[in-house]
């Protein structure tokens, strides 16, 4: 391992050793290992997403970051994707003003290798493996918390949980009784609005939210957006044991696409739609004995048409050509899950699911036919306590899909509570990433009108691999977690080594008469490093810190260009800091700091220098009779401009104000 990783390892060992030694020396008494349950479970963060079991963070089988609604509010972020700048190791950027990128390694536009769930609904698209962040029918005001698993979690959520899980958990409707109005405005031509109402109708607790969002994007891009969405959730308590939850959402948007300096992809608009429907039934048989059934459907579409401008290429006149790009994808998913306690020391969660994906993309797949992919899953995860201060987590996911066949993703983790508030965890897991429809079956060609001789010319851009192996990862980690409820402080450090084989990369391929890109299993990569996060809350002050150091080693590659692309795709350092303080008289102030070292995202990205960004927010709470309101001023990137993903995405200082009223 590199010198920096050894230094972090030594630091963790010294901290652990010093804590144990000082505890043992106090009063010349040895540490008592028979700790009470309250020592471990009293007022500690609890997560649901890592193993599908409700667990304290200190007993989860993988590193996890919890982002609560206070952090989202004090950050001043307007876009959901930006929130993940607070997570160690997560790279966040704008590919364009209306398209964000969130990834945790091997950073590129589409294939983030991170599973994203919205209240249990998987929102990545089967075509690209991409999350349509700007088109999600979700308001930040409706989020209760976000749980981010920083590492493979295929044992719980399957193949595309390759480098992490983001689970967005919305608020219970009973928490949002009454109404909310919120508006936001500023530069560049930014205008947002959210209206929400929650109440009770018969036996239903419900929430209905509508929203609007628009801006002009970056100065040098045609990337404006105008988005309208509506979402609703209803919870019905059938009886003491059974509850029913219904959710749905719809987004309709217009996104600017194309480039000012292009003759083919000239500036134009894309019509975008996104929707989901979810039905969830939950039955409680007793303590640690529950059954749930879930069905959901998601739909995403994008439609754009453009007429290219005439130009000359290699002495051949290219005439004006009408081009059309239609993309429709949908997903149907049914899941059964059972949680049970088999003994005082052992509890398990097991279940199965079945999924159907349908994609129609004539331009990308070179066929008007709809491509269908089926997936079946069976999973089992368990938590075993062989002793009071030991916790063993183990489990696996079995999957069968139409693209790569049958796969198995196991995980084993061991946690040891050295003393109250001090935990060491070691774990190993294996995960897979199934190729997307584009990687497996893509056949993207442009057919243009030409003048000499009159006719058409077909230019291939990229083709799928047809028979690609799934990417595989074996991840090993060692973590130390510290928590002090007395002082309101928590921290964790994760050392990891991720060995990735059969990495899928678009490789330049010679063709006649044009070269093109073909997706291949083109490299084996090792990523190793250290991730650290810390939280402190003392009265009216909150502080959140995160940092990640990653070293990328190319073990083998199809050619030197592939090796160079992958090597540069990971920034070696990503860091963040967010501090907020509530003053008297309803005044709140916060400052955020974010940094990313130099890098070159894969694919459509360009080389980017190291940047540092400072944000600030100032808010004032007020009351008008029985109504509560807040006015806030947010200033993003206070100092020098920097570039995100591409050098025509120049992120300059932005200032906007928000006004909200609850009644």
């Amino acid at each position: 391992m590199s010198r920096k990783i050894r230094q972090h390892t030594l630091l963790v060992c010294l901290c652990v050793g010093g804590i144990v030694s000082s505890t043992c020396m106090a009063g010349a008494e040895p540490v008592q290992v028979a700790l009470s349950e309250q020592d471990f479970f009293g007022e500690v963060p609890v997560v649901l997403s890592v193993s599908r079991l409700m667990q304290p963070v200190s007993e989860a089988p993988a590193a996890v970051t919890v982002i609560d609604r206070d952090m989202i509010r004090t950050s001043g972020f307007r876009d959901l994707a930006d929130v993940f700048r607070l997570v160690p190791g997560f790279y966040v950027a704008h590919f364009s003003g209306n398209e964000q990128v969130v990834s945790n390694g091997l950073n590129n536009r589409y294939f983030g290798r991170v599973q994203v769930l919205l209240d249990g609904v998987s929102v990545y698209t089967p075509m690209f493996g991409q999350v349509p962040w700007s088109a999600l029918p979700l308001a930040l005001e409706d989020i209760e918390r976000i749980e981010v698993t920083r590492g493979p979690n295929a044992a719980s959520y399957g193949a595309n949980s390759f480098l992490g899980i983001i689970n967005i958990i919305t608020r219970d409707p009973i928490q949002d009784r009454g109404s909310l109005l919120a508006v936001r405005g500023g530069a560049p031509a930014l205008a947002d609005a959210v209206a929400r109402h929650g109440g009770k109708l018969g036996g239903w607790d419900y929430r209905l939210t509508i929203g609007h969002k628009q801006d002009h994007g970056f100065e040098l891009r045609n990337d404006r957006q105008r988005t309208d969405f509506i979402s609703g959730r209803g919870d019905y308590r059938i009886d003491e044991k059974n509850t029913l939850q219904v959710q749905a959402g719809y987004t309709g948007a217009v996104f600017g696409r194309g480039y000012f300096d292009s003759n083919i992809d000239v500036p134009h608009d894309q019509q975008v739609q996104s929707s989901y429907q979810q039905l969830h039934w939950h039955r409680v048989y007793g303590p640690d004995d529950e059954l749930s059934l879930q069905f959901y459907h998601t739909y995403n579409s994008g439609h754009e048409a453009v007429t290219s401008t005439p130009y000359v290429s290699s002495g051949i006149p290219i005439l004006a050509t009408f081009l059309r790009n239609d993309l429709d994808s949908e997903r149907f998913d049914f899941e059964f899950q059972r949680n049970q306690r088999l003994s005082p020391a052992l509890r398990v969660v097991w279940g199965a699911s079945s999924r159907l994906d349908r994609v129609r993309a004539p331009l990308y797949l070179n066929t008007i036919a709809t491509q269908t992919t089926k997936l079946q899953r069976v999973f089992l995860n368990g938590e075993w306590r062989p002793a009071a201060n030991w916790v063993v987590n183990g489990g696996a996911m079995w999957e069968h899909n139409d693209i790569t066949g049958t796969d198995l993703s196991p995980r084993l983790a061991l946690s040891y509570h050295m003393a109250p508030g001090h935990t060491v965890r070691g774990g190993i897991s294996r995960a897979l990433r199934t190729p997307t429809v584009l990687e497996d079956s893509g056949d993207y060609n442009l057919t243009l009108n030409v003048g000499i001789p009159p006719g058409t010319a077909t230019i291939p851009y990229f083709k799928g691999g047809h028979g690609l192996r799934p990417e595989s990862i074996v991840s090993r980690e060692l973590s130390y977690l510290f928590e002090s409820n007395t002082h309101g402080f928590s921290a964790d450090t994760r050392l990891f080594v991720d060995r990735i084989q059969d990495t899928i990369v678009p490789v330049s391929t010679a063709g006649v008469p044009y070269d093109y890109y073909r997706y291949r299993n083109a490299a084996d990569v090792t990523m190793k490093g250290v991730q650290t996060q810390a939280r402190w809350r003392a009265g009216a002050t909150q502080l959140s810190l995160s940092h990640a150091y990653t070293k990328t080693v190319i073990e083998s590659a199809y050619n030197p260009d592939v090796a160079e692309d992958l090597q540069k795709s990971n920034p070696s350092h990503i860091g963040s800091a967010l501090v907020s303080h509530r003053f008297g008289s309803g005044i709140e102030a916060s400052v955020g700091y974010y940094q990313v070292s130099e890098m070159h995202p894969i694919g459509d990205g360009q080389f980017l220098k190291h940047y540092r960004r400072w944000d600030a927010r100032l808010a004032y709470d007020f009351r008008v009779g029985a109504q509560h309101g807040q006015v806030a001023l947010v200033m993003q990137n206070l100092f020098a401009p920097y570039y995100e993903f591409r050098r025509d995405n120049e992120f300059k200082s932005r200032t906007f104000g928000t006004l909200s009223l609850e009644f």
Side-chain angles (χ1 to χ4, degrees), residues 377-398:
R377 292 171 169 169
V378 177
F379 60 88
L380 170 66
N381 285 278
E383 176 195 86
W384 176 48
R385 298 175 178 276
N389 51 347
W390 291 91
V391 179
V392 180
N393 281 277
M397 173 78 76
W398 175 91

Side-chain angles (χ1 to χ4, degrees), residues 12-273:
V12 173
C13 293
L14 289 174
C15 290
V16 173
I19 292 164
V20 174
S21 299
S22 61
T23 309
C24 292
M25 291 298 293
E29 293 289 333
V31 175
Q32 300 297 316
V33 296
L35 303 174
S36 69
E37 188 178 39
Q38 182 63 28
D39 291 326
F40 295 140
F41 298 106
E43 299 182 9
V44 298
V46 172
V47 292
L48 301 170
S49 307
V50 185
S51 65
R52 294 179 180 250
L53 294 167
M54 183 179 292
Q55 297 173 302
V57 169
S58 61
E59 298 190 351
V64 62
T65 296
V66 179
I67 302 173
D68 59 29
R69 60 188 292 103
D70 282 343
M71 293 178 65
I72 296 174
R73 185 191 74 253
T74 59
S75 71
F77 290 137
R78 172 190 178 228
D79 296 322
L80 173 59
D82 279 332
V83 172
F84 303 105
R85 298 180 189 271
L86 301 169
V87 181
F90 270 61
Y91 173 69
V92 179
H94 287 79
F95 172 77
S96 68
N98 52 49
E99 184 179 330
Q100 293 87 39
V101 174
V102 178
S103 55
N104 187 27
L106 304 180
N107 305 300
N108 61 90
R109 177 184 179 184
Y110 290 134
F111 316 117
R113 299 174 172 87
V114 174
Q115 172 77 273
V116 179
L117 305 172
L118 174 56
D119 285 331
V121 174
S122 175
V123 294
Y124 80 88
T125 60
M127 181 68 189
F128 300 111
Q130 182 186 31
V131 176
W133 294 105
S134 293
L136 292 180
L138 175 68
L140 290 178
E141 291 82 357
D142 289 345
I143 298 175
E144 177 62 24
R145 71 182 188 277
I146 303 173
E147 299 176 3
V148 183
T149 304
R150 308 193 316 268
N153 201 4
S156 295
Y157 293 99
N160 288 82
S161 311
F162 192 74
L163 289 174
I165 286 282
I166 294 174
N167 188 19
I168 304 165
I169 301 168
T170 62
R171 290 169 61 80
D172 192 304
I174 201 171
Q175 298 175 281
D176 291 325
R177 296 274 177 88
S179 300
L180 166 73
L181 292 175
V183 294
R184 181 186 295 113
L190 183 154
D192 302 341
V194 172
R196 182 183 70 205
H197 179 72
K200 191 172 183 66
L201 183 63
W204 290 88
D205 292 300
Y206 70 89
R207 177 184 66 239
L208 182 66
T209 304
I210 60 175
H212 171 82
K213 184 176 181 179
Q214 71 176 53
D215 61 61
H216 282 180
F218 292 104
E219 288 184 3
L220 302 179
R221 299 285 300 273
N222 178 50
D223 55 359
R224 72 184 184 94
Q225 62 174 320
R226 182 183 178 91
T227 303
D228 297 289
F229 71 87
I230 181 171
S231 64
R233 171 175 166 178
D235 291 4
Y236 181 71
R237 187 176 181 86
I238 302 172
D239 54 36
E240 293 183 354
K241 294 183 178 295
N242 297 279
T243 57
L244 182 66
Q245 182 184 109
V246 179
Q247 290 198 69
Y250 170 82
T251 294
V254 177
F255 291 162
R257 299 296 192 201
Y259 298 87
F260 294 117
D261 59 352
S262 174
N263 296 105
I264 297 177
D265 194 10
V266 300
H268 61 282
D269 285 342
Q270 180 188 37
Q271 306 294 324
V272 174
Q273 295 183 35

Side-chain angles (χ1 to χ4, degrees), residues 466-477:
H466 296 288
L468 292 171
R469 297 180 298 277
E471 294 181 347
S472 67
I473 182 173
V474 175
S475 178
R476 298 172 176 84
E477 73 168 59

